[in-house]
């Protein structure tokens, strides 16, 4: 029996609507499997700026550091998106918490549910059976490298792409470890024909690979990888890459699965991990019960597996989502012309369907 402390950071826009269902699912899992999960909600993002003038209050950070796992909704508000000159911004809270918790690995499974294959812009036969696990380096590379500046006359801007062997080795190791539990293939994505930092990346990944002789390692340039991902997604098992390449590639991959509302993610380091949907705060649909909570619910499955090692519990969440999709229930974003009107549900209705399946699972 496990006892865990979970911090919930609802954030902005649809964040509170979807994390409410992530929390409810975790409560039901705890009750079904006899665990005790304690929950505490804290502020981040625009909601935190409104209340405390900072996007990541100390109180939130301290509680997160002491917790066993964090469930995050999303941060962001149109007020900042429309005014790039604002100095205090919601996303600063996100970057700071990742850095403070040392969350160097962003893990994104691209899960393709058969029932939703129509939602992708790719042909069904290319997708059926595709199953990709991305490892994106999250705390280094060009998003953090110094120096970064604009010249005094404003005509030149500089960002720095920097990686150390230590930064590459630790994420490569996580990717190889994951590959050992899957199809034993790792694609490492870089631009080693042009960038010195990529040559260090490749050299280091090769060194880590020596500890995993059973895993096939394939190096691929980022431009080729972007093309191969939509040409033949089934060739990939585990993909490991740097911060900026990973940012772009994982968004591309999200479209393989069809909807942003379905994709979970985990950001982990050596201690507490953050689990969150890959989508943003979706201000266009906030407060209308139109948000799809399934990405957040699937993020709790990642939490149960990666942070708590509760594999059966994690699978019970994935099975519940799979089951409601098989029964034909949809939110608006994943519905199609063929979906009967009475099967298009709002956030709370679909969340409740998942919870019912966790309480009383359908026997396989
Ligand atoms: P978004 O992901 O919020 O929305 C993109 C589109 O997808 C919108 O039309 C939205 O309605 C739809 N959508 C997203 N999630 C959905 C869900 N669960 N169910 C149904 N439809 C969904 O991206 P955006 O519009 O580019 O950004 C909006 C705000 O979110 C911005 O302020 C941005 O900075 C922020 N953002 C935050 C994060 C994060 O917190 N990790 C990530 C991306 C964007």
């Amino acid at each position: 029996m496990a006892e865990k402390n979970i911090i919930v950071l609802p954030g902005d826009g649809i964040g509170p609507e979807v994390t409410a269902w992530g929390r409810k699912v975790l409560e039901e899992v705890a009750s079904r499997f006899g665990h005790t999960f304690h929950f505490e909600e804290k502020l981040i993002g625009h909601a935190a700026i409104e209340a405390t003038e900072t996007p990541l209050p100390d109180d939130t950070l301290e509680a997160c550091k002491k917790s066993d796992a964090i469930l995050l909704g999303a941060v962001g508000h149109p007020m900042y998106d429309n005014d790039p000159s604002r100095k205090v911004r919601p996303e600063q809270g996100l970057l700071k918490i990742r850095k403070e918790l040392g969350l160097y690995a962003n893990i994104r499974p691209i899960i393709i549910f058969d029932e939703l294959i129509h939602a992708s812009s790719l042909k069904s036969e290319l997708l059926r059976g595709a199953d990709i696990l991305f490892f994106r380096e999250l705390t280094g590379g060009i998003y953090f490298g110094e120096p970064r500046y604009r010249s005094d006359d404003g005509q030149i801007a500089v960002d720095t792409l920097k990686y150390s062997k230590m930064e590459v080795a630790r994420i490569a190791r996580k990717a190889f470890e994951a590959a050992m539990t899957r199809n034993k293939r790792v694609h490492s994505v870089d631009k080693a024909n042009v960038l010195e930092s990529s040559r260090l990346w490749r050299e280091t990944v090769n060194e880590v690979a020596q500890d995993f002789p059973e895993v096939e390692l394939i190096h691929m340039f980022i431009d080729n990888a972007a093309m191969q991902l939509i040409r033949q997604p089934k060739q990939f098992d585990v993909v490991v890459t740097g911060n900026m390449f990973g940012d772009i590639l994982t968004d591309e991959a999200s479209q393989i699965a069809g909807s942003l509302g379905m994709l979970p993610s985990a950001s982990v380091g050596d201690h507490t991990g953050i689990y969150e949907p890959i989508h943003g705060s979706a201000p266009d649909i906030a407060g209308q019960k139109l948000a799809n909570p399934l990405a957040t619910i699937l993020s709790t499955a990642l939490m149960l597996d990666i942070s708590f090692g509760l594999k059966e519990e994690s699978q019970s969440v994935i099975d519940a989502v799979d089951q409601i999709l098989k029964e034909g229930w949809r939110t608006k974003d994943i519905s199609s012309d063929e979906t009967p009107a009475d099967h298009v549900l709002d956030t709370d209705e679909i969340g409740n369907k998942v919870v019912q399946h966790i309480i009383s699972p359908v026997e396989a």
Side-chain angles (χ1 to χ4, degrees):
M1 211 190 90
E3 184 166 356
K4 302 286 179 192
N5 292 313
I6 300 168
I7 297 292
V8 181
L9 304 177
D12 308 318
I14 61 170
E17 299 168 51
V18 293
T19 49
W21 284 103
R23 175 176 175 163
K24 184 83 182 128
V25 162
L26 285 167
E27 283 168 354
E28 294 303 338
V29 167
S31 145
R32 174 172 153 199
F33 290 89
H35 304 301
T36 307
F37 296 161
H38 306 283
F39 296 90
E40 206 182 339
E41 288 202 2
K42 294 284 174 190
L43 293 169
I44 193 169
H46 169 68
I49 297 174
E50 291 280 278
T52 68
E53 293 176 8
T54 158
L56 183 68
D58 291 344
D59 159 55
T60 299
L61 184 58
E62 286 315 308
C64 287
K65 281 184 175 165
K66 284 194 226 130
S67 72
D68 295 303
I70 299 156
L71 180 67
L72 174 77
V75 300
H77 190 279
M79 161 193 305
Y80 310 88
D81 300 336
N82 301 332
D83 182 2
S85 69
R86 276 181 181 265
K87 291 274 178 289
V88 181
R89 311 181 59 82
E91 59 272 21
Q92 290 163 347
L94 210 51
L95 291 177
K96 185 167 174 202
I97 198 170
R98 287 175 181 162
K99 197 81 185 168
E100 289 277 341
L101 295 175
L103 306 179
Y104 58 82
N106 181 240
I107 306 173
R108 280 195 196 182
I110 303 297
I111 309 165
I112 297 163
F113 291 96
D114 274 356
E115 288 71 26
L116 298 183
I117 270 186
H118 69 84
S120 173
S121 46
L122 294 192
K123 290 185 191 134
S124 307
E125 63 266 28
L126 283 180
L127 293 177
R128 214 173 293 278
D131 176 2
I132 312 173
L133 189 61
F134 277 92
F135 283 78
R136 166 189 168 198
E137 202 289 325
L138 203 59
T139 51
I142 196 161
Y143 292 175
F144 293 96
E146 296 289 345
R148 58 165 74 211
Y149 60 88
R150 182 74 73 95
S151 63
D152 290 343
D153 65 2
Q155 297 301 301
I156 296 174
V158 173
D159 293 291
T160 301
L161 172 46
K162 195 188 290 182
Y163 267 119
S164 70
K165 276 186 105 92
M166 180 276 287
E167 288 174 308
V168 181
R170 64 186 182 181
I171 186 149
R173 189 159 294 279
K174 282 213 183 291
F176 277 96
E177 284 167 359
M180 285 298 290
T181 69
R182 296 169 47 99
N183 288 326
K184 300 194 172 70
R185 190 181 317 131
V186 168
H187 280 79
S188 172
V189 176
D190 62 32
K191 189 72 182 167
N193 50 343
V194 179
L195 300 173
E196 193 56 38
S197 57
S198 279
R199 286 192 271 274
L200 176 111
W201 180 281
R202 195 172 275 221
E203 182 187 304
T204 310
V205 172
N206 280 333
E207 286 164 15
V208 173
Q210 288 175 4
D211 293 339
F212 301 87
E214 288 172 55
V215 177
E216 179 190 8
L217 169 63
I218 298 153
H219 295 286
M220 202 175 251
F221 295 135
I222 174 66
D223 38 353
N224 186 27
M227 186 265 283
Q228 295 293 341
L229 196 55
I230 50 170
R231 194 184 75 87
Q232 199 55 267
K234 275 184 261 191
Q235 70 186 287
F236 297 101
D237 176 26
V238 173
V239 179
V240 61
T241 189
N243 203 342
M244 183 166 66
F245 295 157
D247 192 2
I248 299 165
L249 223 45
T250 51
D251 261 27
E252 182 189 346
S254 73
Q255 283 314 296
I256 294 177
S259 171
L260 279 175
M262 293 300 299
L263 289 177
S265 81
S267 299
V268 302
D270 296 321
H271 305 289
T272 308
I274 297 186
Y275 297 83
E276 59 180 313
I278 74 158
H279 59 71
S281 57
D284 53 332
I285 57 166
Q288 300 170 44
K289 291 187 188 274
L290 286 174
N292 180 346
L294 297 178
T296 307
I297 289 172
L298 289 167
S299 301
T300 69
L302 289 180
M303 179 191 291
L304 291 163
D305 180 359
I306 299 172
S307 275
F308 303 163
L310 300 173
K311 303 247 177 240
E312 192 187 345
E313 290 80 343
S314 169
Q315 193 58 46
S316 77
V317 175
I318 298 169
D319 289 347
V321 171
D322 196 31
Q323 189 57 35
I324 63 150
L325 294 175
K326 284 204 174 91
E327 290 170 4
W329 304 111
R330 300 285 185 270
T331 41
K332 189 157 172 270
D333 59 306
I334 52 172
S335 66
S336 71
D337 295 344
E338 280 97 66
T339 313
D342 63 355
H343 276 60
V344 181
L345 305 182
D346 72 21
T347 310
D348 297 342
E349 289 166 337
I350 204 153
N352 206 27
K353 291 270 178 210
V354 177
V355 164
Q356 292 313 316
H357 275 291
I358 288 171
I359 296 170
S360 340
V362 173
E363 295 304 324

